[in-house]
Amino acid sequence: MSKKDETFRGVLDAEEKHAHWGTIGVALIVGLITLFIFLFVWRKGRVSRRGICLVGLCESGKTLIFSQLIYKKAVESFTSMKENVGVLDIANKGALKLIDIPGHERVRQRFFDSYKNTARGIVFVLDSFSLNKDIRDVAEYLYTILSDPVVSSNRPQVLILCNKQDHPLAKGPQVIQSVLEKEMNVLRNTQTNQLEAVAEGGNRKSFYLGQEGKNFEFADIRSLRVEFAASSAQTEDLENLKKWLQSVA
Amino acid sequence: MLDFFSIFSKGGIVLWCFQGTSQIFTSSVNALIKAVILQERTGQLSYDHDNVTLKYKLDNEFELVYVVAYQKILKLSYVDKFLNDIHMEFRDAYKNELQLQQFGKNFEISEMFTSILKSAEEWGKLQAAAPKVMKSFEESQKSKKTVASMIERKGDDKENKKVKKVEIKVPDVKIPEPINVELSEEDLIQQKRREFAEKMAAGKNKSKPTTEKLKSPKAASKKSKESRVWPLGGAPKDMETLDYTKDKDLGESPLPQQAVYLPDPKAIGTLQGEVRDMDFESESEEEEEDVEERGKNDYVPQQVSQQKKKTGIFSLFKNLVGSKTISEEDMAPVLDKMRDHLIAKNVASEIAGKLCDSVAAKLNGKVLGTFESLANTVKASLTESLVQILSPRRRVDILRDVYESQKQKRPYVMSFCGVNGVGKSTNLAKICFWLIENNFRVLIAACDTFRAGAVEQLRTHMRHLNSIHPPEKHGGLQMVQLYEKGYGKDAAGIALEAINHAQEAGIDVVMIDTAGRMQDNEPLMRALAKLIKVNEPDLVLFVGEALVGNEAVDQLVKFNQALADYSASENPHTIDGIVLTKFDTIDDKVGAAISMTYITGQPIVFIGTGQTYADLKTLNVKAVVSILMK
């Protein structure tokens, strides 16, 4: 009897061991599968950012640039109420999704928030001629975009497009760069000293750009690469923009 | 005789355009978009700019806008029909391209346009030539009143004004049944009111004899209600008392021990004895109104639920399967619920109505996806509209603007206006604290020369702030100074002198505190407009409390109107920003923010959340909208 018990127990133990190894194996396989799925989704998230956002103030020429790139012709346009989305094919590098975000102050934040996650690059269009009048509005919008937490973490490439160069009194990109840097220098002090907002958790939404103690320069922003280029949508001179799109894609 | 017609996408790309004259219409159309559509006033379908009237129609299925422009002096009756016809034709002709959003194609519709325009004009001519059809009894005003309300009794003015306006749409599909039901409800309500009035009248005779005695000097008759007369209530005859332009010398004020305020001798002795109750009549009136409102609210929901039950069973399946176009009737119950929800959150009822109309116009004709429910779509659209309204239309960065004025070596002038008791002086002190924390020197101009203790209040704040930020910490300069000239003087003059003083002393900011005033007090509004016109402040802030309800609409409209009317210039300086105070007292009923920004279109610059210096915040649009929609 005892011998039978022993063998019986031995068989049971052996079976248990098999079962043990079986469950461990299954658990390992399930774990590996979830890991692969996770990696795949994460990688897809990184790679699938193929969006280029066209942002800027009202009347800076975004919709015109959009139509010239997508429809290959110039159209008349009114103030945009909604975003325009189109697909741009870049030679040898696939397709980019071009998104024209309305410039009107009330709606631009909402549309930008919905597309900033997919942004591989941001084109900030500004009117080179009327920059003197609008410098504070331009700088504030640019500051809001550059200091946005999602933008800082995704690190898209930024192009500041000085549009309307066909106008005789338009300023060149270097002049615009220096004027903007001076304005942003003042802005970063006032923006960080703004009052706290109602019902906020206590964390400020915008933070200090560039290096403290030194005057603001675009080259100082470590997380983003900011470039300047000139263009004129009216005369269809978008070469610099197209070159930049090639490099970003 | 259309001057301009255009079809463009909501993204701004023009699909087709017709220009009858050489006038450029781009600015007019852009103004239309900015003023009406982006300000959530899409309920109003026509807009005047320069001397051109613009009418538009939204196509929410394909995201298009149809705009027509013609001279304002012409009154064209066929424009609406024309817009509808061309909308249908264009949609049928180009459905495929529009679905794929191919807006780059050349749309050739000049023939379609001319033919539809011709037919619309002919239709217009026929309508004008046809004899006018008499209104049926149902459509007339008389059917909406009850017989009892039309009997005129002497001294019964208040009753007649209470005739309810029952909204009856001209019936296309609806059965005339509901009209009769509501009339009989009205009768019931009127009966109940009469009974209640009789009961109260019987109760009145048993009231205390002392109240009778005290009331006798007033000689109030029991049937008719005299309008209450407020002293210094803004009638033109009060102009002399309220006019501070000629200095009525009431003595110097610098020494606080001396009594400066001379009491009104007529008021002495009138308040002897017990403090009087409010008029007993007014209380009974209020109770009658409550009964009426309760009656109204009870009857309406029953009707709506009856209609819902009939279509309930099949609509469930319809909502789940396939694409469904949203129509006005579908949205009506959801929008009613949303409107009541907004009103419950303290949004002014007029504004809530306009918002719901705007959402209806934006969603009419839109196609729902397979798993989208109507309620969620309406809710999402309403949330979007609210965010849009609360987002500022211009850049709000006061520190930057003060810095700019500092560079130009002139003081930045801010003025505060509002009705009585909203918190102007308190919030002025808080903003002053914020500014001195950012190293700007402030001069407070005490232009409230009416309220007792106003100048002393500001002096106390000045002393507190100077002790928190003593001159030693700021290079020997006193951060806050007070400019005052006592009581009874002209406010505009004090402000002007204060600004000049600040310019000479190199002070960065001047904050002008004005006296609280009711919005329909004409002499005081004139005085405020004069102060603004003479001193040309950089920022005119309207201070409003978050507790205010429908009154906010009236206050803001009248303040803006007064500033515009009494300024006698081409570009009057109206309200630039709103300070919303007492925000900590409202729990989640934050609707006043919406009412105020909707009326003026100006941003909320500061929010006051308490009585200490640190209780000053800015607006967090998303948080406030989520509280509102919860």
Side-chain angles (χ1 to χ4, degrees), chain A residues 34-49:
Chain A
T34 41
L35 196 65
F36 276 134
I37 291 176
F38 178 68
L39 269 174
F40 179 67
V41 168
W42 181 68
R43 181 100 58 73
K44 197 158 185 257
R46 278 270 305 272
V47 167
S48 78
R49 259 188 283 129

Side-chain angles (χ1 to χ4, degrees), chain A residues 59 63 71 73 75-82 84 104-107 110 113 136-137 140 183 186-187 190-191 193-200, chain B residues 8 10-12 14 30 33 37-39 63 65 103-104 106 384 388 391-393 395 397 400-401 403 434 438 583 601 606-607 617-618 620 622:
Chain A
E59 303 285 318
T63 309
Y71 303 131
K73 71 168 190 186
V75 288
E76 277 180 48
S77 67
F78 295 121
T79 308
S80 312
M81 287 180 262
K82 218 172 73 83
N84 288 314
H104 196 261
E105 290 79 359
R106 286 192 169 194
V107 290
R110 169 162 60 103
D113 284 342
R136 280 186 265 168
D137 298 322
E140 199 231 0
E183 179 67 25
V186 174
L187 255 191
T190 61
Q191 287 284 339
N193 285 333
Q194 290 293 331
L195 293 166
E196 207 183 286
V198 164
E200 219 176 40
Chain B
F8 59 95
K10 283 192 182 171
V14 172
N30 281 337
I33 296 175
I37 303 180
L38 284 173
Q39 291 229 52
E63 308 284 335
V65 184
F103 294 135
N106 264 332
E384 261 177 34
Q388 206 168 300
S391 307
R393 190 165 67 176
R395 188 182 50 95
D397 190 352
R400 179 73 189 85
D401 294 334
Y403 185 76
W434 176 58
N438 280 301
F583 204 75
F606 295 110
I607 294 189
K617 302 222 161 85
T618 55
N620 180 351
K622 293 206 181 111

